[in-house]
Amino acid sequence: MGGPGGRLAVRNRLPDKTLAALRLGSLLARALPLSALIRLGQLLGAAIGPRLLPAKAAQLQRHISRVEAAAGLEPLAARRAVEGFGSYGRYWVESLRIPHLDRRNIDRGFSVFGFAKLEHVRAAGYGPILVLPHLGGWEWAAAWLGKVNGLAVTAVVERLEPEEVFDWFASLRSAYGINVVPVGPKAMVELSAAVKRRDVVCLLADRDIGGRGIPVDFFGERTTLPAGPALLSRRTGAPLLPTAVYFRGRQRVGLVGDPIWPDQFSAATGNRAPAGTGGRGINQRIMQEVADRLAELVTRAPEQWHLLEPNWPSDHR
């Protein structure tokens, strides 16, 4: 999942038996009590994930070490990485269970701080653009927006292969009210229309899938983040709202940050782009603000960061 690339349709190839495993997992998720399911997801994720995926476990530990160094946290990256796989396991089992939960149970399982900020943006005539890190359980929040509040939710997702797996995920998310837009050349047009309809637009923005994003400083090291959020905000005039959803015991807690309006970075406000950069400079300033705000959100719970892929140039080296 990620922001609209506009130039590159990325496809992530999954094992051929993935669809069968997801269907089986969905049946098991429906059969177990939710509390038992959460515990099982956490235990299996923490116990099996690092052993089954050692390279990804090492990558996650590296990412968490960056967070600890930048924020001055106690260096517990190895332990936090194991907890991260437990959190990721919970994310998956909850995602499979959500379509089978009724409106009351979804509402009881979620609380949010800053929801009024989202409502103010919609009252101003825009669809709020939520920019999120791969953190905690955002799928539950999307279901809460759709099933409990009756809001239309549009989210960009990474292309998957086999195609049947992508279609299965799209069907799963549509069951709890998410309109899925695949990463690709048409994404910006569809997202612009969603903003005009005042949909809640969700963009996972802490990973540059296509590798053609905007340079930023993120946790003390230079990398790129997707250009899509800045481009969509400037095209539509809608603000970006840095947002995260955390696991807290058996509950989930959403935190909606202050809006980042695109005109904050225009020449009219005195916040001029560097000479010769024009719109690219404004986009870079917007995405640097996004990077700083996402870093604050991740630092609150680095053990819930599910970023398992290389995300900085030094990761590849």
Side-chain angles (χ1 to χ4, degrees):
M1 292 177 282
R7 289 182 290 179
L8 183 66
V10 179
R11 290 181 180 270
N12 184 9
R13 181 73 194 184
L14 298 175
D16 292 337
K17 294 182 180 180
T18 298
L19 183 57
L22 289 170
R23 286 173 171 163
L24 177 60
S26 184
L27 290 173
L28 292 174
R30 188 174 184 177
L32 292 173
L34 183 57
S35 58
L37 184 67
I38 289 171
R39 187 63 180 154
L40 180 63
Q42 290 173 323
L43 288 173
L44 290 179
I48 298 176
R51 292 177 175 81
L52 196 63
L53 302 168
K56 292 188 182 297
Q59 187 64 72
L60 178 59
Q61 184 174 333
R62 183 178 174 88
H63 292 332
I64 293 175
S65 292
R66 284 190 177 94
V67 180
E68 294 173 345
L73 301 178
E74 187 177 359
L76 300 171
R79 190 179 81 187
R80 287 186 170 116
V82 173
E83 294 174 357
F85 271 91
S87 175
Y88 196 37
R90 174 175 176 173
Y91 163 83
W92 273 105
V93 297
E94 286 196 0
S95 297
L96 296 174
R97 182 59 178 271
I98 291 171
H100 310 299
L101 295 175
D102 60 25
R103 180 179 183 273
R104 182 175 63 88
N105 282 316
I106 290 174
D107 191 28
R108 287 172 57 186
F110 184 72
S111 58
V112 59
F113 297 92
F115 185 67
K117 299 169 186 177
L118 186 152
E119 293 180 303
H120 290 160
V121 172
R122 296 191 76 248
Y126 301 97
I129 306 168
L130 307 186
V131 284
L132 305 100
H134 288 76
L135 191 83
W138 82 272
E139 303 269 0
W140 194 290
W144 182 83
L145 288 169
K147 279 193 169 184
V148 176
N149 291 275
L151 298 176
V153 180
T154 295
V156 174
V157 299
E158 183 180 357
R159 276 284 188 188
L160 300 173
E161 290 185 348
E163 190 74 20
E164 293 82 2
V165 174
F166 177 82
D167 293 340
W168 188 88
F169 272 115
S171 176
L172 178 80
R173 287 171 172 140
S174 67
Y176 47 92
I178 300 180
N179 172 42
V180 170
V181 175
V183 172
K186 297 180 180 179
M188 187 61 68
V189 173
E190 294 187 49
L191 291 174
S192 297
V195 171
K196 291 178 181 178
R197 294 192 304 266
R198 298 196 304 160
D199 290 9
V200 180
V201 175
C202 299
L203 305 178
L204 288 163
D206 58 344
R207 178 182 168 219
D208 180 18
I209 297 174
R212 301 181 180 182
I214 294 177
V216 296
D217 291 318
F218 192 35
F219 287 115
E221 190 174 342
R222 200 71 166 169
T223 188
T224 59
L225 291 185
L231 295 172
L232 181 62
S233 179
R234 295 186 65 207
R235 173 179 286 197
T236 61
L240 305 174
L241 287 83
T243 301
V245 181
Y246 303 95
F247 294 129
R248 291 289 182 265
R250 294 184 181 180
Q251 296 293 103
R252 301 121 210 109
V253 178
L255 181 61
V256 181
D258 292 335
I260 303 170
W261 291 90
D263 58 8
Q264 291 176 225
F265 302 87
S266 68
T269 65
N271 192 354
R272 295 179 180 273
T277 61
R280 288 178 298 146
I282 295 174
N283 293 342
Q284 195 279 333
R285 288 175 178 266
I286 292 173
M287 291 311 301
Q288 184 59 63
E289 180 68 17
V290 169
D292 293 343
R293 303 274 285 277
L294 292 182
E296 292 174 5
L297 294 171
V298 171
T299 300
R300 290 171 176 262
E303 72 283 355
Q304 296 185 28
W305 201 18
H306 309 150
L307 191 63
L308 308 180
E309 305 296 332
N311 208 45
W312 281 263
S314 62
D315 294 336
H316 297 281
R317 290 196 296 268

